[in-house]
Amino acid sequence: MQIVTSMHGRDIGLGAENTAGRQLIVPGGFVSGSHGSQFAIQSPYTVASTDDFIGDVIADQWNIVEGTDGATSDAAILAGGIGGVLRFTTGDAGTGLAADMVQMTQALQWQASNGNLCIQARLKLSAITTCYAFLGFTDVVTLEAPIESAANADTLTTNATDAVGFMFDTRMATDTWWMVGVATDVDATAQNSGFAPVADTYETFRVELSAAGVATFFRNGAQVGTAMTGAVTAAADLTPTFAVSKTSVAASMTADLDYIHTSMAR
């Protein structure tokens, strides 16, 4: 179907009359939402995945991996969660991430080098003490905190070879959301967002990556920090991920994920 009535040059227009009426044609594809909080719509030029967690089971595309305290940790669709909510419940061993973390990953099918790679999610944490959370991209599908506090001032330990995202770790001297990245085992310069989570309060996070692996970060629709060079290796195979854990104290916590969106150019 071709544009026969132009509305803005050849960028947007109407097709010919047919049994469905005249249809809008946008060759470049569609993006909904405002700058800093957007969904790209799947098209011949865009790969996109949005999960609202509607229904009663998690989609097969997601892997849920747990620490050694797997009898307590869990990730499941929340019964009665209006609009769809995926609830993560951490372990309660109180011995650290290896025991208490629960994490979701996908296949390694995303690359910054394709262009327009992004992840966006709306989430909340039930607790903001003795805990860890990470949202972004990483390079393995097994249990691993991609980037975490080194438990020394505001320094980091990067377990992933390539990863980028938002990290909250109360073992940092400054308990705020941090923007972090690592490219082929070379740490990007971490940035302090200046924003601390509020318990049981939703926030929306977005990470955009250029084809060169430069990251731009957004919280609640507004950019935070500056463009992060060397955030991730452009050609690295990545998975979207969310992870949450208690860092100590023998008590579990929850994290609710309202939705998660990932997209990139084909």
Side-chain angles (χ1 to χ4, degrees):
M1 182 182 295
Q2 295 181 323
I3 292 174
V4 297
T5 302
S6 172
M7 299 173 66
H8 189 75
R10 305 306 296 174
D11 293 332
I12 184 171
L14 297 175
E17 186 73 36
N18 59 52
T19 55
R22 300 189 69 186
Q23 293 163 308
L24 184 68
I25 302 172
V26 182
F30 290 90
V31 174
S32 64
S34 301
H35 178 64
S37 181
Q38 296 176 321
F39 288 177
I41 309 304
Q42 188 169 335
S43 77
Y45 306 104
T46 301
V47 183
S49 171
T50 303
D51 199 333
D52 255 312
F53 307 112
I54 297 297
D56 57 3
V57 294
I58 302 171
D60 289 343
Q61 287 84 354
W62 293 112
N63 307 309
I64 303 299
V65 288
E66 306 172 37
T68 55
D69 191 29
T72 303
S73 59
D74 189 28
I77 303 296
L78 179 64
I82 303 303
V85 174
L86 180 60
R87 171 158 290 182
F88 296 79
T89 304
T90 71
D92 62 359
T95 56
L97 276 58
D100 289 341
M101 193 163 77
V102 58
Q103 182 175 15
M104 67 187 298
T105 62
Q106 247 183 28
L108 298 170
Q109 295 177 323
W110 305 87
Q111 279 192 6
S113 61
N114 274 44
N116 298 333
L117 179 62
C118 78
I119 184 171
Q120 180 169 313
R122 183 171 182 256
L123 62 93
K124 65 178 180 178
L125 307 175
S126 70
I128 55 171
T129 58
T130 60
C131 64
Y132 167 85
F134 181 91
L135 173 77
F137 291 100
T138 191
D139 58 0
V140 296
V141 300
T142 51
L143 187 78
E144 179 183 80
I147 303 172
E148 61 179 311
S149 170
N152 179 20
D154 282 329
T155 58
L156 299 170
T157 295
T158 49
N159 301 309
T161 297
D162 282 278
V164 61
F166 283 91
M167 181 204 74
F168 177 67
D169 192 330
T170 58
R171 297 169 297 178
M172 298 284 277
T174 310
D175 293 356
T176 56
W177 287 103
W178 286 77
M179 292 86 77
V180 294
V182 58
T184 317
D185 291 321
V186 177
D187 295 357
T189 301
Q191 300 180 35
N192 178 4
S193 74
F195 295 99
V198 176
D200 206 33
T201 301
Y202 275 113
E203 298 176 274
T204 300
F205 297 98
R206 179 180 179 87
V207 182
E208 297 180 353
L209 286 156
S210 74
V214 178
T216 306
F217 301 86
F218 300 85
R219 173 187 172 272
N220 294 339
Q223 184 175 340
V224 287
T226 58
M228 179 183 288
T229 59
V232 74
T233 302
D237 296 341
L238 303 172
T239 172
T241 189
F242 174 69
V244 62
S245 181
K246 293 295 286 183
T247 56
S248 61
V249 181
S252 65
M253 63 174 284
T254 63
D256 288 350
L257 196 57
D258 178 36
Y259 69 76
I260 187 167
H261 171 83
T262 312
S263 62
M264 69 179 179
R266 290 190 185 276

